C-alpha cells in the first residue's frame, strides 16, 4: 500500500531503480525504446535487441525480485522476456 510510510519507501525504491535503467538505456546507451508510465506501473520495450541493455535489464530484474522477496505484499511484478540476443 503506497499510502503508508513503508509503502511509500518501497515505491520510491522501485521507481528509482526503474528510472535508473530507463535513463541508462536512453541517455547512456542511446537506444530507442518505448516507455509508458502510469500510476504504479511502468512498461519498457526496447525498439531492437541490444546485449548491453538486456544485461542491464537482467540485473534490474534480479534487484526487483530481491525487493519483492523482502516486501512481497507491497510489490507486484509482471515481466515478459523476449530472448533473441546472443550472449
Amino acid at each position: 500500500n503506497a499510502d503508508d510510510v513503508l509503502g511509500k519507501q518501497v515505491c520510491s525504491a522501485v521507481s528509482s531503480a526503474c528510472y535508473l535503467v530507463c535513463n541508462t538505456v536512453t541517455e547512456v546507451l542511446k537506444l530507442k525504446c518505448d516507455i509508458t508510465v502510469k500510476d504504479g506501473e511502468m512498461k519498457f520495450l526496447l525498439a531492437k535487441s541490444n546485449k548491453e541493455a538486456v544485461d542491464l535489464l537482467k540485473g534490474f530484474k534480479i534487484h526487483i525480485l530481491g525487493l519483492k522477496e523482502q516486501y512481497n505484499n507491497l510489490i507486484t511484478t509482471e515481466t515478459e522476456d523476449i530472448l533473441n540476443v546472443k550472449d
Side-chain angles (χ1 to χ4, degrees):
N1 183 351
D3 292 330
D4 62 25
V5 173
L6 181 60
K8 287 180 182 179
Q9 291 171 338
V10 172
C11 182
S12 292
V14 171
S15 294
S16 178
C18 289
Y19 280 103
L20 173 70
V21 170
C22 290
N23 288 334
T24 301
V25 169
T26 58
E27 302 302 319
V28 176
L29 298 176
K30 303 291 186 194
L31 300 174
K32 293 185 180 187
C33 59
D34 182 32
I35 301 169
T36 306
V37 179
K38 296 181 190 174
D39 187 35
E41 178 180 305
M42 178 180 278
K43 293 182 181 182
F44 179 92
L45 179 64
L46 287 170
K48 70 179 205 175
S49 191
N50 174 278
K51 184 180 180 337
E52 289 83 9
V54 170
D55 288 345
L56 181 64
L57 289 166
K58 286 178 183 178
F60 170 76
K61 184 176 181 179
I62 292 166
H63 178 68
I64 294 300
L65 291 176
L67 286 175
K68 184 176 181 176
E69 190 174 304
Q70 283 183 282
Y71 305 104
N72 189 37
N73 62 326
L74 296 174
I75 298 174
T76 302
T77 59
E78 183 179 320
T79 60
E80 182 179 335
D81 297 329
I82 302 170
L83 302 175
N84 58 0
V85 174
K86 295 179 180 162
D87 290 333

